[in-house]
């Protein structure tokens, strides 16, 4: 583990968090989601955190690769055991997005840090973090949920493939601000998840719905996806994206990729 992350266990304990321990930190792994999934199958307790300084097979949604330079960012996966039906799992990605949004906004400033349904965090329209939620189901209940999160923190030279569409905390810092603190950001994300995840798994998005609405990158924007196109009108309490098509019909998209049309000048 790099020096700046050595404070994580102490910060988790100090803040009395139920998520973040035990911590397994690897210099290199294939994917922290795979580490967490394997451990969950072997009985790892809820709250177990798997962190890595680099991944050789970091994964995003829709089969994409997650790229991150060694030691510069946050790559981690949590094991949670919410004892909920599978239908409650998709909204958990939005809760994770909100926790990351709040932690990032605390450092770069509140304006323009948004959650883009279903799993991205954007600053001024550029992606700063992604969430990959996976679950294992036994019978009709969820046995474990793996919440995988990648946050670009210290990187200033982003890989060429993503440089025009991605950003990092370091690149978004206000002038004169101290360098970003990876441990503090990680523990703030854990605290946000600790506060909201169990509740949303048990009762749905109601409690965080208003906050999610204020952070929504898509609301009022023209969007397109595999299911069509229209204007985004927020997210319902089951975590589905509400899209009104040009004929005025409201659709609820439950998964997929959404592209944002540029704002009209
Ligand atoms: C996405 O944007 O599609 C989701 C990206 C999720 C990346 C994180 S990095 C830590 C964890 N391990 C992985 O292999 N993926 C997630």
């Amino acid at each position: 583990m790099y020096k700046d992350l050595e404070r994580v266990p102490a910060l988790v304990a100090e803040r009395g968090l139920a998520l973040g321990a035990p911590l397994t930190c690897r210099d290199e792994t294939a994917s922290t989601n795979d580490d967490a999934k394997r451990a969950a199958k072997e009985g790892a307790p809820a709250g177990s955190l798997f962190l890595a300084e680099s991944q050789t097979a970091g994964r995003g949604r829709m089969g994409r690769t997650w790229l991150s330079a060694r030691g510069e960012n946050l790559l981690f996966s949590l094991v949670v055991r919410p004892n909920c039906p599978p239908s409650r799992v998709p909204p958990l990605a939005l809760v994770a997005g909100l926790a990351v949004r709040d932690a990032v906004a605390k450092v770069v400033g509140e304006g323009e840090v948004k959650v883009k349904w279903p799993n991205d965090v954007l600053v001024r329209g550029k992606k700063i973090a992604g969430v990959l939620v996976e679950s294992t189901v036994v019978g009709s209940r969820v046995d474990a949920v793996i919440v995988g999160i990648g946050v670009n923190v210290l990187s200033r030279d982003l890989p060429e493939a993503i440089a025009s569409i991605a950003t990092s905390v370091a690149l978004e810092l206000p002038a004169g601000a101290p360098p970003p603190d990876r441990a503090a950001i990680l523990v703030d994300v854990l605290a946000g998840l600790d506060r909201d995840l169990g509740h949303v798994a048990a009762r749905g998005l109601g409690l965080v719905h208003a906050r999610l609405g204020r952070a929504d990158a898509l609301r009022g924007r023209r969007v397109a996806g595999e299911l069509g196109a229209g204007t985004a009108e927020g997210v319902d309490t089951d975590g589905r994206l509400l899209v009104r098509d040009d004929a005025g019909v409201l659709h609820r998209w439950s998964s997929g990729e959404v592209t944002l049309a540029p704002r009209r000048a």
Side-chain angles (χ1 to χ4, degrees):
M1 178 168 15
Y2 286 26
K3 250 203 143 23
D4 62 331
L5 293 179
E6 282 174 2
R7 290 187 306 130
V8 169
L11 291 173
V12 166
E14 207 174 276
R15 291 177 66 170
L17 302 180
L19 302 178
L23 167 65
T24 305
C25 189
R26 303 202 159 96
D27 196 42
E28 182 174 288
T29 193
S31 154
T32 58
N33 262 41
D34 292 344
D35 295 342
K37 212 186 289 179
R38 203 175 311 116
K41 273 201 193 114
E42 290 163 4
S48 300
L49 174 60
F50 294 81
L51 192 64
E53 292 291 10
S54 76
Q55 298 182 126
T56 53
R59 291 184 280 115
R61 286 175 67 252
M62 329 276 288
R64 282 185 300 242
T65 303
W66 185 258
L67 301 170
S68 176
R70 178 185 299 271
E72 293 187 356
N73 301 313
L74 286 169
L75 306 166
F76 62 97
S77 302
L78 271 169
V79 176
V80 289
R81 296 192 183 272
N83 187 27
C84 63
S87 61
R88 287 266 196 252
V89 173
L92 301 184
L94 291 167
V95 175
L98 203 52
V100 175
R101 191 224 83 94
D102 291 349
V104 167
K106 194 168 157 186
V107 184
V108 308
E110 278 298 319
E112 290 303 315
V113 190
K114 304 280 185 195
V115 176
K116 176 178 173 268
W117 184 93
N119 73 319
D120 293 346
V121 180
L122 311 181
V123 180
R124 280 175 267 281
K126 288 186 165 185
K127 182 158 169 168
I128 199 162
V131 176
L132 178 64
V133 170
E134 299 177 306
S135 56
T136 52
V137 175
V138 174
S140 60
R141 305 299 284 177
V142 171
D143 176 53
V145 176
I146 309 305
V147 181
I149 298 178
V151 189
N152 297 332
V153 181
L154 299 172
S155 286
R156 291 187 155 275
D157 292 318
L158 292 162
E160 206 182 314
I162 56 170
S164 63
I165 52 164
T167 190
S168 69
V169 177
L171 291 171
E172 299 295 335
L173 277 183
D181 176 344
R182 289 196 302 165
I185 294 171
L186 169 60
V187 174
D188 279 341
V189 175
L190 296 176
L193 287 168
D194 203 23
R195 185 187 54 195
D196 295 332
L197 211 58
H199 187 92
V200 170
R203 300 205 171 85
L205 279 171
L207 190 74
V208 302
H209 196 249
R211 278 165 50 217
L212 205 50
R214 287 192 293 276
D216 187 345
L218 300 179
R219 184 181 278 269
R221 302 284 305 270
R222 178 118 193 121
V223 294
E226 297 100 84
L227 297 173
T231 302
E233 292 194 353
V235 168
D236 71 11
T237 50
D238 293 320
R240 292 173 299 190
L241 184 67
L242 300 172
V243 180
R244 195 170 297 276
D245 69 21
D246 295 341
V249 179
L250 191 63
H251 301 267
R252 292 168 195 268
W253 294 356
S254 48
S255 63
E257 190 59 19
V258 171
T259 54
L260 198 52
R263 285 186 194 279
R264 290 200 181 95

